[in-house]
């Protein structure tokens, strides 16, 4: 009986010791700074930037919606806002984020910032 109790106690101890560390979930962006697999080299307006804008901004920032007064669905409108600093400033604004549902992912913001720093080319 004594041997069964000590084996049970040992198994119970191992179970309690291993359970808290055996299952763990972390967000890769939080762990690795948001740049895991985020390619910001040679960001193109026609591929990366326009895609991000379509998915997150066009519902308010388009010539057809006319909600914001800042249309981004054409290159000229987005470039003008990028050049005056409004685009990067608003998309990184913690207190009043754009889009209003919350900041874009760190990777999307890094891509847009890289495009703006490159002169916001129409490529």
């Amino acid at each position: 009986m004594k041997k069964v109790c000590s084996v049970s106690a040992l198994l119970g101890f191992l179970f309690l010791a291993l359970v808290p560390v055996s299952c763990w979930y972390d967000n890769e962006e939080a762990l690795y700074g948001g740049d895991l697999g985020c390619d910001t080299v040679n960001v193109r307006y026609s591929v990366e930037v326009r895609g991000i804008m379509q998915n997150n901004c066009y519902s308010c920032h388009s010539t057809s919606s006319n909600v914001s007064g800042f249309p981004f669905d054409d290159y000229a409108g987005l470039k003008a806002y990028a050049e005056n600093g409004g685009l990067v400033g608003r998309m990184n604004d913690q207190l009043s984020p754009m889009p209003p549902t919350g900041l874009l992912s760190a990777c999307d913001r890094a891509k847009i910032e890289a495009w703006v720093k490159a002169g916001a080319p129409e490529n």
Side-chain angles (χ1 to χ4, degrees):
M1 181 72 166
K2 191 175 191 181
K3 191 173 191 176
V4 172
C5 287
S6 60
V7 169
S8 296
L10 179 62
L11 289 175
F13 175 76
L14 286 175
F15 177 77
L16 291 174
L18 295 176
V19 167
V21 294
S22 64
C23 297
W24 193 266
Y25 171 79
D26 272 315
N27 180 308
E28 287 181 353
E29 191 171 296
L31 284 173
Y32 304 111
D35 60 0
L36 184 67
C38 184
D39 184 9
T40 59
V41 178
N42 299 319
V43 175
R44 295 159 295 172
Y45 168 76
S46 61
V47 178
E48 293 88 1
V49 175
R50 186 169 44 202
I52 294 167
M53 301 309 274
Q54 281 176 327
N55 292 334
N56 299 283
C57 309
Y58 283 6
S59 60
C60 295
H61 292 279
S62 68
T63 51
S64 60
S65 72
N66 200 23
V67 172
S68 71
F70 298 102
F72 296 159
D73 57 345
D74 69 338
Y75 171 75
L78 184 59
K79 181 175 171 88
Y81 201 60
E83 287 178 337
N84 75 16
L87 181 62
V88 172
R90 286 292 283 151
M91 74 176 190
N92 288 315
D93 189 338
Q94 297 283 335
L95 299 176
S96 183
M98 278 294 146
T101 55
L103 293 175
L104 296 173
S105 72
C107 183
D108 285 349
R109 287 184 285 135
K111 287 178 181 181
I112 293 172
E113 286 183 50
W115 174 74
V116 171
K117 285 179 183 174
E122 186 176 13
N123 54 359

